[in-house]
Amino acid sequence: MKQTTEYKSASNLEKTLTAGKFAVTAELGPPKSADLEHIKNKAKLLKGHVDAVNITDNQTAIVRVSSIAVGKLVLDMGLEPIMQMTCRDRNRLAMQSDILGAYLLGIRNILCLSGDHTCFGNHPTARGVYDLDSIQLVEMVRNMRDVKVFQNGEEIRNGKKAEIKEPKMFIGAAANPFADPFEYRVIRLEKKINAGVDFIQTQCIYDMDRFASWMEQVRNRGLHEKCKILAGVTPLKSVGMAKYMRDKVAGVVVPDYYIDRLAKAEDAAAEGIKICVEQIRRLREIEGVAGVHIMAIEWEQKVAEIVEKAQLKKR
Ligand SMILES: Cc1cc2nc3c(=O)[nH]c(=O)nc-3n(C[C@H](O)[C@H](O)[C@H](O)COP(=O)(O)OP(=O)(O)OC[C@H]3O[C@@H](n4cnc5c(N)ncnc54)[C@H](O)[C@@H]3O)c2cc1C
């Protein structure tokens, strides 16, 4: 008899990861204005090269087009979105309402985040909501999907006699393998897994040894068997960018040898791509890494080249 797999969401990303294929996702940052062409151009650059596209949610706490709206737009262009949702901007009512709405629009993946603090963004005096944190958000989405209840325990039913229509999302969260205290990082990951996370996308990795050591801790606890881990990479365009990532982005470690390589290169941008490709090749060899998440910040035109050079095209 033919065996059928029961999917939680049946998203393309879930199917790819469940089949044990090395998944490739990429980030698409929405614009700071209602610029449809900008979104379409970015989507075109990614189409056919990745399994799913992360739509960021007011990243760096700067106002941008909503991740749900852009998620629907890219879906209509034939790409699968991963809607990012931060706890910074919404309380639990708004989040549940948006999750139901996003599901109705066809969105099947969600990345649950605390979100960058408002002090980093363009409205530094805005109040951060944080009604829930990222772990509570994961748990809420899991309960909506698996127990078919809202956060207050009420069934997701439109009236007593109506059928239950729960949002079946494939649930992700972020992990930062580099922030201090290092030993605590893997415990926080485990908490997210216990809350119901299906996949993890990590903060961008440059310190490969530290990441390998984090993955060792992950394997020692058997966590790579409980959720799919996608390793985050961000190609470096210049020495300036490398130093900015090192000095200004909390929890990102950029080793000096990469900065030296970029400084000595004739074409720093090309060297940055080369480094990124080398990293992906090495990440692929690490047991428990189920895929790669390419965060090419305002450099989406390089994703296809990275995928090609890292030999991920025919994966
Ligand atoms: C792949 C990826 C995508 C991202 N996308 C976005 C995005 O779209 N938009 C955006 O704004 N940011 C985004 N970020 C940034 C991210 O939200 C921040 O880096 C955040 O600090 C870590 O995210 P998290 O959800 O994993 O945090 P968590 O694991 O939930 O927490 C990070 C730290 O904050 C602490 N913390 C959590 N909640 C509180 C609280 N209420 N009060 C005090 N401390 C608290 C935790 O203890 C922990 O030390 C992204 C990060 C990654 C890695």
Side-chain angles (χ1 to χ4, degrees):
M1 215 169 71
K2 200 179 160 202
Q3 279 212 320
T4 51
T5 312
E6 252 196 55
Y7 293 109
K8 295 172 178 175
S9 69
S11 73
N12 183 38
L13 181 64
E14 180 183 6
K15 287 180 183 168
T16 303
L17 289 167
T18 307
K21 293 182 190 155
F22 194 78
V24 181
T25 56
E27 188 172 277
L28 187 158
K32 283 169 71 181
S33 71
D35 187 346
L36 184 58
E37 282 314 302
H38 185 93
I39 298 163
K40 282 186 176 172
N41 288 340
K42 283 191 173 185
K44 270 186 213 151
L45 293 169
L46 300 175
K47 192 171 175 180
H49 302 290
V50 297
D51 298 303
V53 177
N54 282 63
I55 316 295
T56 52
D57 181 17
N58 290 336
Q59 76 270 26
T60 57
I62 289 176
V63 181
R64 297 164 200 274
V65 180
S66 107
S67 58
I68 301 175
V70 178
K72 169 66 174 153
L73 288 168
V74 303
L75 193 63
D76 291 346
M77 290 181 69
L79 280 148
E80 180 168 287
I82 301 171
M83 168 183 70
Q84 300 200 173
M85 183 176 275
T86 69
C87 300
R88 179 195 56 225
D89 301 337
R90 302 170 184 82
N91 68 11
R92 66 192 81 176
L93 270 91
M95 288 201 267
Q96 291 176 101
S97 163
D98 279 351
I99 290 162
L100 289 171
Y103 183 75
L104 281 183
L105 291 172
I107 295 172
R108 296 291 179 265
N109 307 296
I110 180 170
L111 190 76
C112 302
L113 299 152
S114 289
D116 290 313
H117 197 276
T118 51
C119 68
F120 298 116
N122 63 354
H123 291 70
T125 56
R127 178 182 295 178
V129 179
Y130 303 113
D131 180 25
L132 306 178
D133 70 9
S134 63
I135 296 174
Q136 291 167 319
L137 173 57
V138 167
E139 194 174 16
M140 184 175 81
V141 187
R142 196 260 310 260
N143 285 339
M144 288 176 85
R145 182 191 68 196
D146 297 348
V147 193
K148 306 177 200 323
V149 292
F150 290 111
Q151 198 269 342
N152 64 356
E154 227 172 76
E155 278 186 331
I156 302 180
R157 196 195 289 272
N158 189 35
K160 276 189 184 146
K161 289 184 184 156
E163 209 183 310
I164 292 180
K165 303 265 189 197
E166 77 282 12
K168 294 179 189 139
M169 291 284 186
F170 194 48
I171 307 167
N176 188 339
F178 307 103
D180 286 322
F182 186 53
E183 321 71 57
Y184 185 70
R185 292 298 111 203
V186 82
I187 298 171
R188 192 155 180 88
L189 169 67
E190 192 159 19
K191 285 184 178 181
K192 291 185 181 183
I193 291 171
N194 292 340
V197 97
D198 302 308
F199 70 99
I200 285 288
Q201 289 172 309
T202 77
Q203 183 56 279
C204 46
I205 300 159
Y206 297 106
D207 188 337
M208 302 293 281
D209 295 335
R210 198 162 156 123
F211 179 72
S213 143
W214 183 75
M215 279 305 298
E216 197 181 334
Q217 292 179 46
V218 167
R219 287 193 302 275
N220 288 344
R221 286 173 178 258
L223 302 182
H224 63 304
E225 281 157 359
K226 295 183 179 170
C227 82
K228 303 292 183 183
I229 296 173
L230 279 72
V233 289
T234 292
L236 295 165
K237 285 182 205 172
S238 62
V239 175
M241 176 179 174
K243 287 186 177 164
Y244 179 87
M245 299 293 285
R246 182 191 64 187
D247 302 335
K248 303 277 184 213
V249 184
V252 173
V253 180
V254 185
D256 286 343
Y257 51 82
Y258 283 145
I259 297 180
D260 290 345
R261 260 180 78 172
L262 292 169
K264 285 181 190 143
E266 251 176 56
D267 181 345
E271 192 67 16
I273 298 295
K274 209 169 152 198
I275 291 171
C276 186
V277 169
E278 286 170 16
Q279 284 188 304
I280 294 175
R281 288 197 177 142
R282 187 162 163 210
L283 290 166
R284 224 179 154 175
E285 302 294 310
I286 299 177
E287 190 191 341
V289 173
V292 71
H293 177 42
I294 307 170
M295 293 169 276
I297 307 162
E298 293 305 318
W299 216 18
E300 284 89 348
Q301 62 270 35
K302 289 291 174 187
V303 170
E305 184 183 333
I306 293 168
V307 168
E308 178 91 46
K309 288 186 170 160
Q311 290 168 328
L312 292 171
K313 194 90 185 134
K314 288 188 193 144
R315 60 194 182 274

